[in-house]
């Protein structure tokens, strides 16, 4: 008789037949920071802090020492610097370029990834430039936005970013950013494209962390409809053709089918983003004493890996390294 249980009999046998494993090298830590000298706990994300520049460098070093190869930077920009055209996004003396320089100086082997999108800089809180017609109807301008994104990516590359990660979901931005980077000699700066980024309610706590909630309207005309899977394959093929180095699916836990589809469609490395709302769900179930935090977090990360992700952006990165 065929008895699959034989392969589960002892820890030794289970360890031999295990198909998926987690290691610190799988994790990318998203980090929030601001201009203030004080560190601020983020109320919408218990256990997550918005760091001062100095603390950001220290904490990133700590993460790197745990074996985490990369971080992604998410700045909170002062309200007074936000404008409709988001010009601050390509200021070489802005918060992000200063952070990149400080991080690369302190930790040369740490891979620094930057988010390319206008929402932290845009007075409208959208990832792109907002246009309002005579009736006050709002639309997001694609090609005009892509030009600004190219300037932002160049600004990050000049400061020393290893990878730029466009999260805006404008059409054609990967090709445009690749051309802009190559044109300025940044042929070694990679593009991690948010290939399938869904218009998800699970980004709520993140927007709270950065005060970046859209002032008007939602992001459904550029982020993908959670009902669609084939469309993710279309985005994947486009990003590959446009020259992306790595692809991302976001959110992760509820979109394992999308991760698997992208994995099958492309030979490029696939990243998945366990977003703020996923973090909050796990955190609050654990805080209530209802579920075992270590067990649910490691299982959630393992499932994302099993679905086909090569790397995982997670707010649990440091904690997971300590648990492993
Ligand atoms: C914005 C951006 C968002 C996230 C990463 N980059 C929010 C959004 O699209 O509204 C969400 C991350 C998270 O929820 O953890 N460009």
């Amino acid at each position: 008789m065929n008895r699959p249980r034989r392969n589960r009999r002892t820890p030794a046998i289970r360890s031999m037949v295990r198909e998926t494993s987690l290691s610190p090298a799988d994790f990318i830590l998203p980090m929030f920071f601001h201009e203030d000298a004080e560190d601020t706990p983020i109320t919408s994300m218990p256990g997550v802090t918005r760091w001062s520049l100095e603390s950001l460098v220290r904490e990133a070093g700590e993460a790197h020492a745990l074996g985490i190869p990369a971080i992604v930077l998410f700045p909170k920009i002062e309200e007074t610097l936000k404008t409709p055209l988001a010009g601050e996004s390509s200021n070489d003396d802005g918060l992000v370029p200063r952070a990149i320089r400080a991080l690369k100086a302190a930790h040369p082997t740490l891979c620094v990834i930057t988010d390319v999108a206008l929402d932290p800089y845009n007075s409208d809180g959208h990832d792109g430039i907002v246009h309002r017609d005579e009736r006050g109807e709002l639309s997001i301008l694609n090609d005009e936005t892509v030009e600004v994104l190219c300037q932002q990516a160049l600004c990050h590359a000049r400061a020393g970013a290893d990878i730029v990660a466009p999260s805006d979901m404008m059409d054609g931005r990967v090709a445009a950013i690749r051309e802009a980077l190559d044109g300025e000699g940044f042929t070694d700066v990679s593009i991690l494209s948010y290939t399938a980024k869904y218009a998800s309610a699970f980004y709520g706590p993140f927007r709270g962390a950065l005060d970046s909630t859209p002032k008007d309207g939602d992001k459904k005309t550029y982020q993908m409809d959670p009902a669609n899977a084939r469309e993710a394959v279309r985005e994947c093929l486009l990003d590959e053709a446009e020259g992306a180095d790595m692809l991302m699916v976001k959110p992760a836990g509820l979109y394992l089918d999308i991760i698997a589809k992208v994995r099958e469609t492309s030979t490029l490395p696939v990243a998945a983003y366990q977003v703020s709302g996923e973090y909050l769900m796990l955190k609050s179930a654990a805080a209530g004493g209802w579920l075992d935090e270590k067990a649910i977090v490691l299982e959630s990360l393992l499932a994302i890996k099993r679905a086909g992700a090569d790397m995982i952006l997670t707010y649990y990165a440091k904690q997971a390294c300590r648990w492993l």
Side-chain angles (χ1 to χ4, degrees):
M1 184 178 155
N2 228 322
R3 291 183 185 272
R5 284 185 57 192
R6 278 196 289 267
N7 285 350
R8 302 177 202 139
R9 198 168 56 82
T10 69
I13 295 172
R14 288 199 294 277
S15 76
M16 288 190 292
V17 302
R18 190 161 295 132
E19 298 172 35
T20 312
S21 62
L22 287 172
S23 96
D26 300 329
F27 303 135
I28 298 172
L29 177 66
M31 299 187 77
F32 300 110
F33 62 109
H34 55 204
E35 201 69 73
D36 312 2
E38 303 279 302
D39 301 327
T40 311
I42 296 171
T43 40
S44 58
M45 298 175 70
V48 179
T49 304
R50 206 164 56 224
W51 306 105
S52 67
L53 215 44
E54 197 184 324
S55 303
L56 173 78
V57 174
R58 182 192 67 237
E59 292 291 316
E62 209 174 275
H64 197 35
L66 286 167
I68 296 169
I71 60 167
V72 192
L73 298 179
F74 290 108
K76 180 179 149 107
I77 301 300
E78 284 166 20
E79 280 308 313
T80 53
L81 294 174
K82 298 185 184 183
T83 59
L85 297 180
E88 178 65 13
S89 62
S90 59
N91 174 3
D92 285 319
D93 294 317
L95 182 58
V96 169
R98 275 183 284 130
I100 300 168
R101 289 192 289 265
L103 286 160
K104 292 304 286 187
H107 318 297
T109 60
L110 176 71
C111 172
V112 175
I113 306 176
T114 59
D115 192 68
V116 173
L118 304 186
D119 51 316
Y121 304 95
N122 180 321
S123 40
D124 296 289
H126 277 283
D127 292 18
I129 297 169
V130 170
H131 170 78
R132 273 190 192 74
D133 68 14
E134 318 76 55
R135 286 176 297 129
E137 288 292 335
L138 170 152
S139 61
I140 308 298
L141 302 176
N142 192 91
D143 299 6
E144 291 80 350
T145 298
V146 170
E147 280 176 36
V148 182
L149 296 172
C150 287
Q151 294 311 313
Q152 185 182 18
L154 283 172
C155 167
H156 296 171
R158 280 192 294 272
D162 295 287
I163 301 179
V164 294
S167 70
D168 53 284
M169 291 302 279
M170 296 301 120
D171 293 331
R173 91 274 208 211
V174 171
I177 291 172
R178 184 70 272 158
E179 199 186 318
L181 289 172
D182 289 352
E184 302 272 320
F186 296 112
T187 51
D188 287 342
V189 173
S190 309
I191 300 177
L192 164 57
S193 176
Y194 284 67
T195 295
K197 176 172 179 180
Y198 286 87
S200 170
F202 287 86
Y203 307 150
F206 173 99
R207 295 178 189 167
L210 297 182
D211 282 340
S212 62
T213 309
K215 306 263 175 345
D216 201 359
D218 54 41
K219 299 193 176 185
K220 290 179 185 171
T221 68
Y222 46 107
Q223 298 181 348
M224 285 177 54
D225 184 339
N228 294 355
R230 289 194 308 268
E231 195 180 333
V233 174
R234 183 178 187 208
E235 288 282 4
C236 170
L237 294 171
L238 281 169
D239 278 358
E240 198 171 274
E242 289 182 33
D245 297 283
M246 305 169 182
L247 308 173
M248 196 196 298
V249 174
K250 173 184 176 183
L254 296 169
Y255 293 78
L256 298 182
D257 57 328
I258 308 300
I259 296 173
K261 266 200 159 57
V262 171
R263 169 73 295 146
E264 279 165 26
T265 306
S266 175
T267 57
L268 292 175
V270 177
Y273 196 148
Q274 183 176 58
V275 299
S276 56
E278 297 177 75
Y279 172 84
L280 194 64
M281 280 202 300
L282 296 163
K283 203 66 183 174
S284 34
W290 295 304
L291 290 171
D292 174 346
E293 187 172 25
K294 174 181 170 182
I296 56 171
V297 170
L298 292 180
E299 186 176 328
S300 73
L301 296 170
L302 189 70
I304 294 165
K305 192 92 190 286
R306 190 196 61 233
D310 299 292
M311 49 202 140
I312 306 171
L313 291 83
T314 173
Y315 301 100
Y316 271 115
K318 278 169 111 171
Q319 187 65 58
C321 289
R322 293 192 190 99
W323 281 327
L324 283 171

